[in-house]
């Protein structure tokens, strides 16, 4: 089975673990298409070459760094060359990339199944997407949900949102955890090392306004019990 995956995260070698695992499965011929450059709140990343057996190609893009607007200039030629059974795109259905995928599929490789991705937990409805060209994102979503073949959702909320929109071909797969990096250790040892001696409220993630860390700190002032707050992250 030929699979083409288009993923901006794969610009970095460290973000290709899932694809390497898929590539190792007998009968799967996988190619990953990643941007040459990707810039977001984590900084600027340049395409890293793959040294193992996984096939990874780079592409020039439009709107690099904006996951809801990015377009891959090499996608048409790679799709025509590969004609894969599955085209997976790391894009919400309202994203330009998902729209590009279903549009090119019809023109270049009609037998290809298009699978898109979603972390959606809010139903924006109509044209209320929080983007400058919300009307186009709404059109893109309608087209993708009417012609796309499957969705990989990372929470149950997305599955329910798309069900209400008439799209029920959704498989929920929780976010993966690399257990070679993240593994359970003795709780007491960690608590002693970090000086945690009472009820601990933990946060792990980016220190960014949308994450609501400031709300947590304000709310904690009203707690009528002893506690500590552990914040792990950067930003």
């Amino acid at each position: 089975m030929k699979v083409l995956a288009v993923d901006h995260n794969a610009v970095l070698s460290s973000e290709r673990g899932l694809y390497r695992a898929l590539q190792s499965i007998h009968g799967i011929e996988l190619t990953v298409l990643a941007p040459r450059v990707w810039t977001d709140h984590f900084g600027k990343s340049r395409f890293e070459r793959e040294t193992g057996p996984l096939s990874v190609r780079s592409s020039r893009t439009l709107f690099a760094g904006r996951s809801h607007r990015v377009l891959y200039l090499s996608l048409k030629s790679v799709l025509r060359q590969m004609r894969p059974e599955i085209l997976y795109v790391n894009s919400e259905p309202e994203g330009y990339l998902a729209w590009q995928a279903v549009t090119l599929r019809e023109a270049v490789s009609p037998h290809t199944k298009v699978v898109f991705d979603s972390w959606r937990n809010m139903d924006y409805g109509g044209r209320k997407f929080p983007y400058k060209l919300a009307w186009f994102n709404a059109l893109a979503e309608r087209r993708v949900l009417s012609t796309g073949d499957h969705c990989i959702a990372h929470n149950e909320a997305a599955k329910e949102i798309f069900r209400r929109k008439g799209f029920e071909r959704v498989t929920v797969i929780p976010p993966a955890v690399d257990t070679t990096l993240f593994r359970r250790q003795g709780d007491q040892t960690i608590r002693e090392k970090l000086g945690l001696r009472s009820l601990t409220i933990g946060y792990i993630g980016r220190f960014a306004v949308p994450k609501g860390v400031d709300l947590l700190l304000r709310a904690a002032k009203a707690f009528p019990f002893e506690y500590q707050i552990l914040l792990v992250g950067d930003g």
Side-chain angles (χ1 to χ4, degrees):
M1 176 186 293
K2 289 185 179 181
V3 180
L4 174 60
V6 187
D7 187 347
H8 61 272
N9 290 324
V11 67
L12 298 176
S13 176
S14 61
E15 299 297 318
R16 299 171 190 159
L18 172 63
Y19 299 119
R20 295 187 186 105
L22 289 173
Q23 172 64 24
S24 68
I25 298 174
H26 178 71
I28 293 183
E29 180 183 336
L30 175 64
T31 296
V32 179
L33 188 64
R36 292 183 182 177
V37 178
W38 189 259
T39 304
D40 56 20
H41 45 260
F42 293 112
K44 187 174 185 177
S45 301
R46 295 189 179 279
F47 178 80
E48 296 177 353
R49 295 187 178 277
E50 183 71 15
T51 57
L54 177 64
S55 173
V56 184
R57 303 186 185 186
S58 65
S59 172
R60 291 187 297 115
T61 58
L62 295 177
F63 313 116
R66 301 186 177 221
S67 58
H68 66 285
R69 296 180 66 185
V70 65
L71 294 167
Y72 287 72
L73 300 183
S74 299
L75 180 54
K76 182 177 182 179
S77 61
V78 175
L79 188 60
R80 177 184 287 119
Q81 179 185 1
M82 279 191 64
R83 298 189 185 278
E85 279 80 16
I86 295 176
L87 169 58
Y88 162 76
V89 290
N90 183 4
S91 172
E92 296 281 348
E94 76 272 15
Y96 292 11
L97 173 57
W99 169 84
Q100 182 185 23
V102 296
T103 301
L104 290 179
R105 180 268 302 273
E106 292 182 4
V108 176
S109 185
H111 77 284
T112 298
K113 305 296 185 182
V114 175
V115 179
F116 58 92
D117 194 89
S118 182
W119 296 80
R120 180 85 63 82
N121 57 13
M122 294 179 62
D123 188 355
Y124 297 106
R127 300 184 177 185
K128 298 179 182 178
F129 289 101
Y131 310 129
K132 289 183 179 179
L133 299 177
W135 61 270
F136 186 80
N137 293 108
L139 288 176
E141 183 188 67
R142 286 199 293 272
R143 179 166 173 75
V144 171
L145 294 184
S146 64
T147 61
D149 295 285
H150 207 83
C151 170
I152 295 175
H154 302 292
N155 56 59
E156 292 289 342
K159 182 176 182 178
E160 176 59 23
I161 289 170
F162 297 138
R163 186 194 65 79
R164 292 198 298 266
K165 293 175 179 287
F167 187 91
E168 299 191 10
R169 298 181 297 279
V170 180
T171 299
V172 177
I173 302 177
V177 176
D178 186 345
T179 55
T180 64
L181 295 175
F182 303 98
R183 55 191 180 277
R184 190 174 183 84
Q185 301 184 43
D187 294 352
Q188 192 58 39
T189 301
I190 296 297
R191 290 182 66 85
E192 291 176 357
K193 182 178 179 180
L194 298 176
L196 303 176
R197 297 179 177 82
S198 61
L199 173 69
T200 302
I201 301 168
Y203 168 83
I204 301 176
R206 289 185 290 118
F207 297 160
V209 173
K211 296 297 184 181
V213 179
D214 58 325
L215 179 61
L216 168 63
L217 297 178
R218 290 198 302 272
K221 292 181 180 180
F223 293 165
F225 48 80
E226 183 179 356
Y227 66 90
Q228 291 174 283
I229 294 179
L230 175 64
L231 305 178
V232 180
D234 196 1

